[in-house]
Amino acid sequence: NAGVTQTPKFRILKIGQSMTLQCTQDMNHNYMYWYRQDPGMGLKLIYYSVGAGITDKGEVPNGYNVSRSTTEDFPLRLELAAPSQTSVYFCASSPRLLATDTQYFGPGTRLTVL
Amino acid sequence: QQQVKQSPQSLIVQKGGISIINCAYENTAFDYFPWYQQFPGKGPALLIAIRPDVSEKKEGRFTISFNKSAKQFSLHIMDSQPGDSATYFCAAVNSGGYNKLIFGAGTRLAVHP
């Protein structure tokens, strides 16, 4: 049982390039989330999904896009990379959408935009 | 606007000492308060959580104290160990607004042997 996996672990992008951060979970969780973690700022929710085909914006969605075609996968797309998107990105999943449900986090992707 | 304020930013404690991390919130609609622990290079993992209808919750060496009237809650780590060295995040969520966690800024704890 791998839990939540993310690829790549590290990536350096040039300004204006695009990329997709991959996230897969094998726990059959319906609910998935993308966060970014900036130093001294905690984690902020970018997008979340309540099931295949259904996504919604979080606190900081600008500059990102998501899709959810399967229960297992929830990729995050950066279209025109900007230095402000330099961050560590975490994907998470939970079995239900209840506040008391634990969110299980992946190991993160460290992205640098130069 | 930081909805959950966490302090201190960093903390150094000697082995066997007590580590205390404090959080305060503004939004009275928050009704569930988890703490997450993050080791370097890893994702956060749930440590302990509390609802505001209790004033304290204890799990092993970890205790959450909750003061509803002051809108404050804190994590106490008793008999701190070097293996507790990590970053700790408090969080808050409004159970009526789905499972969208609002995190504090984090506290980097170092426990020296």
Side-chain angles (χ1 to χ4, degrees), chain A residues 60-100:
Chain A
V60 290
N62 292 343
Y64 307 94
N65 281 300
V66 294
S67 59
R68 184 100 180 268
S69 57
T70 67
T71 299
E72 296 78 20
D73 300 308
F74 189 38
L76 178 72
R77 178 85 177 161
L78 282 70
E79 288 296 351
L80 294 167
S84 61
Q85 293 177 305
T86 293
S87 189
V88 181
Y89 292 84
F90 289 98
C91 178
S93 71
S94 66
R96 297 172 300 178
L97 210 54
L98 298 177
T100 53

Coordinates of all heavy atoms in Angstrom, one line a residue, chain A residues 60-100:
Chain A
V60 N -5.8 29.5 -3.3 CA -4.8 30.1 -4.2 C -4.8 29.4 -5.5 O -3.8 28.9 -5.9 CB -3.4 30.1 -3.5 CG1 -3.3 31.1 -2.4 CG2 -3.0 28.8 -3.0
P61 N -5.8 29.5 -6.3 CA -5.9 28.7 -7.6 C -5.3 29.3 -8.8 O -5.0 28.7 -9.8 CB -7.4 28.5 -7.8 CG -8.0 29.8 -7.2 CD -7.1 30.1 -6.0
N62 N -5.0 30.6 -8.7 CA -4.5 31.3 -9.9 C -3.2 30.8 -10.4 O -2.2 30.7 -9.7 CB -4.4 32.8 -9.6 CG -5.8 33.5 -9.4 OD1 -6.8 32.9 -9.7 ND2 -5.7 34.7 -8.8
G63 N -3.1 30.5 -11.7 CA -1.9 30.0 -12.3 C -1.9 28.5 -12.4 O -0.9 28.0 -12.9
Y64 N -2.9 27.9 -11.9 CA -2.9 26.4 -11.9 C -4.2 25.9 -12.5 O -5.2 26.5 -12.5 CB -2.9 25.9 -10.4 CG -1.7 26.4 -9.6 CD1 -1.9 27.5 -8.8 CD2 -0.5 25.8 -9.7 CE1 -0.8 28.0 -8.1 CE2 0.6 26.3 -9.0 CZ 0.4 27.4 -8.2 OH 1.5 27.9 -7.4
N65 N -4.1 24.6 -13.0 CA -5.3 23.9 -13.5 C -5.3 22.5 -13.0 O -4.2 21.9 -12.8 CB -5.4 24.0 -15.0 CG -6.0 25.3 -15.5 OD1 -7.1 25.7 -15.1 ND2 -5.2 26.0 -16.3
V66 N -6.4 21.9 -12.8 CA -6.5 20.5 -12.4 C -7.5 19.7 -13.2 O -8.4 20.3 -13.9 CB -6.8 20.3 -10.9 CG1 -5.7 20.8 -10.0 CG2 -8.1 20.9 -10.6
S67 N -7.4 18.4 -13.2 CA -8.4 17.6 -13.8 C -8.5 16.3 -13.0 O -7.5 16.0 -12.2 CB -8.0 17.2 -15.3 OG -6.7 16.6 -15.3
R68 N -9.6 15.6 -13.1 CA -9.7 14.4 -12.3 C -10.5 13.4 -13.2 O -11.7 13.4 -13.1 CB -10.4 14.6 -11.0 CG -10.5 13.4 -10.1 CD -9.5 13.4 -9.0 NE -9.6 12.2 -8.2 CZ -10.3 12.1 -7.0 NH1 -11.0 13.2 -6.7 NH2 -10.3 11.0 -6.3
S69 N -9.8 12.6 -13.9 CA -10.5 11.7 -14.8 C -10.7 10.3 -14.2 O -11.5 9.5 -14.6 CB -9.7 11.5 -16.1 OG -8.4 11.1 -15.9
T70 N -9.9 10.0 -13.1 CA -10.0 8.7 -12.4 C -10.0 9.0 -10.9 O -9.6 10.1 -10.5 CB -8.9 7.7 -12.8 OG1 -7.7 8.3 -12.2 CG2 -8.7 7.5 -14.3
T71 N -10.4 8.0 -10.2 CA -10.4 8.2 -8.7 C -9.0 8.3 -8.2 O -8.7 9.0 -7.3 CB -11.1 6.9 -8.0 OG1 -12.4 6.9 -8.4 CG2 -11.0 7.0 -6.5
E72 N -8.0 7.6 -8.9 CA -6.7 7.5 -8.4 C -5.8 8.7 -8.6 O -4.9 9.0 -7.9 CB -6.0 6.2 -9.0 CG -6.6 4.9 -8.6 CD -7.8 4.6 -9.4 OE1 -8.1 5.2 -10.5 OE2 -8.6 3.7 -8.9
D73 N -6.0 9.4 -9.8 CA -5.1 10.4 -10.2 C -5.7 11.8 -10.1 O -6.8 12.0 -10.5 CB -4.7 10.1 -11.7 CG -4.0 8.8 -11.8 OD1 -3.1 8.5 -11.1 OD2 -4.5 8.0 -12.7
F74 N -4.8 12.8 -9.7 CA -5.2 14.2 -9.6 C -4.1 15.0 -10.0 O -3.4 15.6 -9.1 CB -5.7 14.4 -8.2 CG -6.4 15.8 -8.0 CD1 -7.2 16.3 -8.9 CD2 -6.2 16.5 -6.8 CE1 -7.8 17.5 -8.7 CE2 -6.8 17.7 -6.6 CZ -7.6 18.2 -7.6
P75 N -3.8 15.2 -11.3 CA -2.6 16.0 -11.7 C -2.9 17.5 -11.6 O -4.0 18.0 -11.8 CB -2.5 15.6 -13.2 CG -3.8 15.1 -13.6 CD -4.5 14.5 -12.4
L76 N -1.8 18.2 -11.3 CA -1.8 19.7 -11.2 C -1.0 20.2 -12.4 O 0.2 19.9 -12.5 CB -1.2 20.1 -9.9 CG -1.2 21.6 -9.6 CD1 -2.5 22.2 -9.4 CD2 -0.3 21.9 -8.4
R77 N -1.6 21.1 -13.1 CA -1.0 21.7 -14.3 C -0.6 23.2 -14.0 O -1.4 24.0 -13.6 CB -1.9 21.6 -15.5 CG -1.4 22.2 -16.8 CD -0.6 21.2 -17.5 NE -0.1 21.8 -18.8 CZ 0.9 21.3 -19.5 NH1 1.6 20.2 -19.0 NH2 1.2 21.8 -20.6
L78 N 0.7 23.5 -14.3 CA 1.2 24.9 -14.3 C 1.3 25.3 -15.8 O 2.1 24.7 -16.5 CB 2.5 25.0 -13.6 CG 2.5 25.0 -12.1 CD1 2.2 23.6 -11.5 CD2 3.8 25.5 -11.6
E79 N 0.6 26.3 -16.2 CA 0.7 26.7 -17.6 C 1.8 27.7 -17.8 O 2.7 27.6 -18.1 CB -0.6 27.3 -18.1 CG -1.7 26.2 -18.2 CD -1.4 25.2 -19.3 OE1 -0.4 25.4 -20.1 OE2 -2.1 24.2 -19.4
L80 N 1.9 28.8 -17.5 CA 3.0 29.8 -17.7 C 3.7 30.0 -16.4 O 3.4 30.8 -15.6 CB 2.5 31.1 -18.2 CG 1.8 31.0 -19.6 CD1 1.1 32.3 -20.0 CD2 3.0 30.8 -20.7
A81 N 4.8 29.2 -16.1 CA 5.4 29.2 -14.8 C 6.0 30.6 -14.5 O 6.6 31.2 -15.4 CB 6.5 28.1 -14.8
A82 N 5.8 31.0 -13.3 CA 6.3 32.3 -12.8 C 7.1 32.0 -11.5 O 6.9 31.0 -10.8 CB 5.2 33.2 -12.5
P83 N 8.1 32.9 -11.2 CA 8.9 32.7 -10.0 C 8.0 32.6 -8.8 O 8.4 32.0 -7.8 CB 9.8 34.0 -10.0 CG 9.9 34.4 -11.4 CD 8.6 34.0 -12.1
S84 N 6.9 33.2 -8.7 CA 6.0 33.2 -7.6 C 5.5 31.8 -7.3 O 4.9 31.5 -6.3 CB 4.8 34.1 -7.7 OG 4.0 33.8 -8.9
Q85 N 5.6 30.9 -8.3 CA 5.2 29.5 -8.2 C 6.3 28.6 -7.6 O 6.0 27.4 -7.5 CB 4.6 29.0 -9.5 CG 3.3 29.7 -9.9 CD 2.8 29.2 -11.2 OE1 3.5 29.3 -12.2 NE2 1.6 28.8 -11.3
T86 N 7.4 29.1 -7.3 CA 8.4 28.4 -6.6 C 7.9 28.0 -5.3 O 7.6 28.9 -4.5 CB 9.7 29.2 -6.5 OG1 10.3 29.5 -7.8 CG2 10.8 28.5 -5.6
S87 N 7.9 26.7 -5.0 CA 7.2 26.3 -3.8 C 7.4 24.7 -3.7 O 8.0 24.1 -4.5 CB 5.7 26.6 -3.8 OG 5.1 26.3 -2.5
V88 N 6.9 24.2 -2.5 CA 6.8 22.7 -2.4 C 5.3 22.4 -2.5 O 4.5 23.0 -1.8 CB 7.4 22.2 -1.1 CG1 7.3 20.7 -1.0 CG2 8.9 22.7 -0.9
Y89 N 5.0 21.5 -3.4 CA 3.6 21.1 -3.6 C 3.3 19.8 -3.0 O 4.0 18.8 -3.3 CB 3.4 21.1 -5.2 CG 3.4 22.5 -5.8 CD1 4.7 23.1 -6.1 CD2 2.3 23.3 -5.9 CE1 4.7 24.3 -6.7 CE2 2.4 24.5 -6.4 CZ 3.6 25.1 -6.8 OH 3.6 26.3 -7.3
F90 N 2.2 19.7 -2.3 CA 1.8 18.5 -1.7 C 0.4 18.1 -2.2 O -0.5 19.0 -2.2 CB 1.7 18.6 -0.2 CG 3.1 18.7 0.5 CD1 3.6 19.9 0.8 CD2 3.8 17.5 0.7 CE1 4.9 20.0 1.4 CE2 5.0 17.6 1.3 CZ 5.6 18.8 1.7
C91 N 0.2 16.9 -2.5 CA -1.0 16.3 -2.8 C -1.5 15.5 -1.6 O -0.7 14.9 -0.8 CB -0.9 15.4 -4.0 SG -2.4 14.5 -4.5
A92 N -2.8 15.5 -1.4 CA -3.4 14.8 -0.2 C -4.7 14.1 -0.6 O -5.3 14.5 -1.6 CB -3.6 15.7 1.0
S93 N -5.1 13.1 0.1 CA -6.4 12.5 -0.1 C -7.1 12.2 1.2 O -6.4 12.1 2.3 CB -6.2 11.2 -1.0 OG -5.7 10.2 -0.2
S94 N -8.4 12.1 1.2 CA -9.1 11.7 2.4 C -10.3 10.8 1.9 O -10.8 10.9 0.8 CB -9.6 12.9 3.2 OG -10.6 13.6 2.5
P95 N -10.7 9.9 2.8 CA -11.8 9.0 2.4 C -13.1 9.6 2.2 O -13.9 9.2 1.4 CB -11.8 7.9 3.6 CG -11.1 8.6 4.7 CD -10.2 9.6 4.2
R96 N -13.4 10.7 3.0 CA -14.6 11.4 2.9 C -14.3 12.9 3.0 O -13.2 13.3 3.2 CB -15.6 11.0 4.1 CG -15.9 9.5 4.1 CD -16.7 9.2 5.4 NE -15.9 9.4 6.6 CZ -16.3 9.2 7.8 NH1 -17.6 8.8 8.0 NH2 -15.6 9.4 8.8
L97 N -15.4 13.7 2.9 CA -15.2 15.1 2.9 C -15.5 15.7 4.3 O -15.6 16.9 4.5 CB -16.1 15.8 1.9 CG -15.6 17.1 1.2 CD1 -14.2 16.9 0.6 CD2 -16.5 17.5 0.1
L98 N -15.6 14.8 5.3 CA -15.9 15.3 6.6 C -14.7 16.0 7.2 O -13.5 15.6 7.0 CB -16.3 14.2 7.5 CG -17.5 13.4 7.1 CD1 -17.8 12.3 8.1 CD2 -18.7 14.4 7.1
A99 N -14.9 17.1 8.0 CA -13.8 17.8 8.6 C -13.0 16.9 9.5 O -11.8 17.1 9.7 CB -14.4 19.0 9.4
T100 N -13.5 15.9 10.1 CA -12.8 15.0 11.0 C -12.0 14.0 10.3 O -11.3 13.2 10.9 CB -13.8 14.4 12.0 OG1 -14.8 13.7 11.3 CG2 -14.4 15.4 12.9

